Amino acid sequence: SVLTVNNFKVVLSFAAWFVSYMIMGVFGGSVAYMHFERSNRDVPDSLPDFGYEVIPYFCPHIPHVPHGNVQSIVLFILYTIILSGVVLRWTPRFHPKSGIVVSNGDGRLILQHMCHLNCLVFLTRTTTVGLTGLPQPNPKCVEQQHLPVTFENALQFVMGRGFPPHACGDLIYSGHVGCTLICMAVLHRHGFMKNKIVAVGMWIVAAIGIYFTISCRSHYSVDVVLAFYFGYFLPEWYYNRSDGRVMGRVSRWIRKMEVRPEDLQIDNDDDSSSEEGDIKGCSPESKYPMSISV
């Protein structure tokens, strides 16, 4: 049955992702767009930046892609890989001859981890991106740096031009790099990168996205460095509570929200499925790695 408690938890996780994304757009990106320092110059009036001295400006425009940049393509690739894993691992699968568990049905948990960690990125970034208005460094935003705006104008510019929201001047910290590192944390956590060649390839893809975040002048170097801090400590904070190593109210809430493979037998008990014994049989052995190091 589709209408189950576990599937409802997944819907709640996705709803939390969407709401937190909209919160970041309204109270983060829109405020940052209204806040950043305006200039009459015909080029970006950027601050001195070590990354800009080392990495030359290079930002090829990619048509039919949100934001039209390489770092968005990288995020799209990583999200596609994760969502493919979600689909393939949605239900437990067994080898037809040996009966060995091929997939323990952790697709829902993978999707929840991606949503929950993205929520943390969106909400923490909302608390930082609009606080201090810095001169924007992006050549694509030169026209916008000439226009003084109200909050209503900012909302229209950021939220009123389709999904996903588009902004200028939303700098501290880099959302693209933060979400890229969150994707890498999820991929590590759920065994997508057990093969060393695959792991190296995935990190190269992530590094390309991070490189172009600076070479496109989408962010200052400090925005990228802070994204690394958040990209490491947010999964560490979350998984410590998800695994029960740190106890408390937040830990209990996270563990109640998550749909683990052993929880699938609850849904299965409501059905007269012939695979009930198989699913129950795989649940005690369903183990997850501890917090990853990224």
Side-chain angles (χ1 to χ4, degrees):
S1 175
V2 176
L3 300 176
T4 64
V5 172
N6 289 329
N7 287 344
F8 180 68
K9 289 180 179 180
V10 176
V11 173
L12 284 180
S13 296
F14 180 79
W17 173 88
F18 182 79
V19 170
S20 62
Y21 193 47
M22 291 299 101
I23 288 174
M24 182 179 68
V26 174
F27 299 105
S30 297
V31 173
Y33 176 72
M34 179 184 68
H35 233 187
F36 80 82
E37 183 178 342
R38 262 52 187 186
S39 170
N40 292 325
R41 297 181 61 185
D42 294 329
V43 294
D45 192 15
S46 59
L47 296 172
D49 188 271
F50 179 76
Y52 295 174
E53 297 174 5
V54 175
I55 299 175
Y57 176 75
F58 177 62
C59 191
H61 178 75
I62 303 174
H64 312 300
V65 174
H67 303 289
N69 51 40
V70 176
Q71 54 267 40
S72 296
I73 287 288
V74 167
L75 264 182
F76 177 79
I77 292 172
L78 296 178
Y79 281 134
T80 300
I81 293 172
I82 292 174
L83 293 176
S84 298
V86 169
V87 173
L88 293 174
R89 293 159 63 170
W90 189 260
T91 57
R93 292 187 294 113
F94 306 90
H95 193 279
K97 294 183 178 180
S98 65
I100 297 175
V101 177
V102 177
S103 168
N104 60 4
D106 60 346
R108 293 171 179 81
L109 188 60
I110 297 172
L111 182 59
Q112 285 187 303
H113 282 171
M114 187 183 74
C115 289
H116 295 171
L117 290 172
N118 271 273
C119 285
L120 293 177
V121 168
F122 298 155
L123 295 177
T124 54
R125 190 167 182 263
T126 301
T127 66
T128 62
V129 73
L131 289 181
T132 303
L134 302 178
Q136 70 83 23
N138 194 339
K140 296 180 181 179
C141 293
V142 168
E143 292 184 4
Q144 304 304 321
Q145 74 185 23
H146 299 158
L147 308 172
V149 297
T150 64
F151 184 65
E152 289 76 16
N153 300 141
L155 274 178
Q156 178 60 35
F157 179 81
V158 175
M159 305 296 294
R161 297 187 298 151
F163 187 88
H166 297 69
C168 287
D170 54 334
L171 298 171
I172 304 174
Y173 59 96
S174 171
H176 275 87
V177 175
C179 289
T180 297
L181 296 175
I182 289 300
C183 286
M184 299 304 293
V186 173
L187 292 169
H188 270 290
R189 169 80 173 189
H190 291 281
F192 287 78
M193 302 172 67
K194 290 180 180 179
N195 184 290
K196 290 184 178 180
I197 296 177
V198 173
V200 170
M202 294 302 300
W203 274 110
I204 290 175
V205 171
I208 290 172
I210 295 169
Y211 175 88
F212 275 95
T213 301
I214 295 179
S215 74
C216 283
R217 305 303 189 248
S218 300
H219 285 276
Y220 290 109
S221 301
V222 67
D223 306 334
V224 173
V225 172
L226 288 174
F228 267 91
Y229 296 155
F230 280 95
Y232 175 83
F233 287 110
L234 287 179
E236 190 76 10
W237 180 93
Y238 181 88
Y239 287 133
N240 277 333
R241 286 153 181 79
S242 172
D243 293 334
R245 290 196 296 273
V246 176
M247 301 304 296
R249 183 178 300 175
V250 175
S251 176
R252 291 192 296 271
W253 181 85
I254 289 174
R255 292 174 68 82
K256 286 181 179 179
M257 274 293 297
E258 290 183 342
V259 180
R260 298 171 183 271
E262 55 265 31
D263 297 329
L264 296 180
Q265 74 177 60
I266 298 175
D267 290 343
N268 199 67
D269 287 341
D270 296 333
D271 299 330
S272 57
S273 171
S274 62
E275 297 179 353
E276 179 178 356
D278 292 335
I279 297 177
K280 286 185 176 180
C282 79
S283 62
E285 289 80 22
S286 298
K287 299 296 182 183
Y288 288 89
M290 305 302 276
S291 294
I292 52 93
S293 297
V294 291

